[in-house]
Amino acid sequence: MKKRFFYIVWVACLGVGMLAGCVKDKNLEQPPAETPSDGTEETPSGSGESSGETVYLEGYARPDGVLILNQGARAIENSSITYLAPDGTVEEGVYRKVNGTALGNEVQDMWMYNGKLYILSDGMYAPNGEEGDGVLVVADAVTLKREKAYKLDDLKFKRPEGSKDEDELISLSIPFENIAVLDEKNIFFSEGQGFFRFDSTTGEVNVVEGAFHFGNQGNTVEKVASTRGILQVGDCLYCGGGGFWESTRLLEISKGVNKVSRVLPDLKGEFISGLFQTGEREIVLATCGRGGEKKSYLQFVNLDEWKVTKTKKISEDISAEFFNTSGVTRAGDYLYYAAGSTTVKRLSLKTWKSEAFIDVLKDAPDGKYLNCNVIADPTNQYVYVAVSNVYREDVKPDKNYLLVYDCSGSAPSLVRKIENKTNYPIGIYPMRKFYHK
């Protein structure tokens, strides 16, 4: 594997994924002109407000812009953010330019809610003596101006009932994984011990019951949920679960509750690749076998009936590898995936036929290492692929590429080739995703 640090190997062993459902906000307006490729209309929630009007933000939060979280070579440099404007203009190091400080060390994930960006980092190192602003940074989404920053010690969680830990407040562990925000009282994030709910109005952190298991005879807390590719639908979050302690499953998490709302257990597949949405109230949990195995399943779930309505076995490797983002991403009638390689394949959700669609090395011959899972923007059917010529925690690459392909036709068309404006991206965020709940 082309991974920089062996400690993340254990993450994949739990095999978890995600997606979204729950009650849809009936007050949200439809966007003025854009519709996804399947002909269904999107319902954006803009800044997260519930006034009945969709609020499209400006600045770095513009729905047609893209933010790229650059993890960087974590042992020798802090993380950064690159902004890709709708006109193709690229701006590097935007967080540092605005705040004059480092975002964090080894950034992991980001979410936008109510005009705020919530950015999660590990903060393991302080390269050249410079510490990042915090493991959780809250910034204005339009300007990127930092508003709040939380250190690791600020986020200790309440000892769950049944734990044999001597401390009332238990320390979080790193690496962090993902973050999802329903409101200021419901900031959810995950790491190896479990899935947590943080109420920023009180400072209280609770581990979510049903998303962890007691190990080592009650002396340790160990997660059974992973938020890779977590989705929001209405006021609920959805993610996969499973691993050593539990069967493969789908979990629903609701506002204001420190417990999993619903569980759909005993699903097919050994590991969670990710989730994607196919309808207003339908999501798909994608599962896979071990790395390289072509033993995968797509399980279509009706959120209202809370049952699997269709299961499709596919002979494809759709593994998410060791990345935090979903291993599968949908645009139009196609599912895109790379399984850690520089060949992006796509699977038709109508014919179930797959094809090798993008050969990254044709456009970037020295981009031998995939930096994160490919990301598709369903509004324009653009697919984003980040590669570099090396992939190590202590080496900054000589060549970084962000390749943007228009995949709306029968063959991919390279729209942009952005060179040396990114640095080991961990996540690519077409901002439109945060306007669709």
Side-chain angles (χ1 to χ4, degrees), residues 152-165:
L152 194 62
D153 285 344
D154 297 329
L155 300 173
K156 292 184 178 181
F157 65 98
K158 294 176 65 175
R159 180 181 62 201
E161 185 176 352
S163 171
K164 294 183 180 180
D165 198 293

Side-chain angles (χ1 to χ4, degrees), residues 89-328:
T89 302
V90 180
E91 186 179 355
E92 297 178 79
V94 290
Y95 182 88
R96 185 182 287 276
K97 286 180 182 179
V98 171
N99 297 287
T101 53
L103 166 66
N105 179 253
E106 197 173 27
V107 67
Q108 294 290 351
D109 196 15
M110 180 190 79
W111 194 274
M112 186 176 82
Y113 166 78
N114 199 23
K116 312 295 181 189
L117 289 179
Y118 295 78
I119 308 169
L120 196 64
S121 304
D122 288 346
M124 178 178 287
Y125 295 113
N128 301 313
E130 181 186 42
E131 290 189 4
D133 284 344
V135 297
L136 175 58
V137 169
V138 183
D140 183 280
V142 174
T143 66
L144 283 186
K145 183 66 177 177
R146 181 185 65 251
E147 296 187 354
K148 294 181 181 179
Y150 300 90
K151 301 294 186 181
L152 194 62
D153 285 344
D154 297 329
L155 300 173
K156 292 184 178 181
F157 65 98
K158 294 176 65 175
R159 180 181 62 201
E161 185 176 352
S163 171
K164 294 183 180 180
D165 198 293
E166 295 180 354
D167 296 324
E168 181 64 27
L169 294 177
I170 302 175
S171 296
L172 292 169
S173 63
I174 54 176
F176 286 109
E177 293 165 359
N178 300 102
I179 188 166
V181 182
L182 295 177
D183 59 33
E184 291 85 353
K185 295 184 178 182
N186 294 276
I187 302 168
F188 293 90
F189 58 84
S190 61
E191 43 95 314
Q193 296 174 99
F195 190 36
F196 300 89
R197 174 175 168 257
F198 172 45
D199 184 341
S200 65
T201 66
T202 65
E204 186 175 289
V205 181
N206 286 279
V207 64
V208 176
E209 184 180 344
F212 73 90
H213 190 283
F214 288 121
N216 192 23
Q217 298 180 339
N219 289 297
T220 57
V221 180
E222 302 175 14
K223 71 167 187 175
V224 297
S226 167
T227 49
R228 177 188 291 149
I230 191 167
L231 293 181
Q232 177 185 353
V233 176
D235 286 335
C236 288
L237 299 172
Y238 295 85
C239 67
F244 181 79
W245 301 106
E246 304 285 2
S247 64
T248 300
R249 56 194 50 215
L250 180 69
L251 307 178
E252 178 186 82
I253 296 95
S254 305
K255 282 185 177 181
V257 182
N258 300 323
K259 183 177 181 179
V260 171
S261 303
R262 293 191 292 181
V263 178
L264 193 58
D266 303 323
L267 302 181
K268 292 185 178 297
E270 298 177 64
F271 301 98
I272 306 297
S273 172
L275 300 105
F276 59 96
Q277 193 166 356
T278 49
E280 183 178 329
R281 302 292 295 159
E282 182 182 70
I283 62 176
V284 180
L285 177 66
T287 61
C288 58
R290 298 185 182 278
E293 291 183 350
K294 296 184 176 181
K295 187 174 61 175
S296 303
Y297 295 90
L298 302 178
Q299 293 159 98
F300 294 72
V301 178
N302 182 297
L303 297 176
D304 293 323
E305 299 178 3
W306 197 240
K307 70 177 185 180
V308 175
T309 58
K310 179 172 64 177
T311 298
K312 186 69 178 179
K313 184 176 182 180
I314 55 175
S315 297
E316 289 292 311
D317 179 11
I318 59 172
S319 169
E321 295 297 310
F322 303 107
F323 299 125
N324 279 356
T325 50
S326 176
V328 292

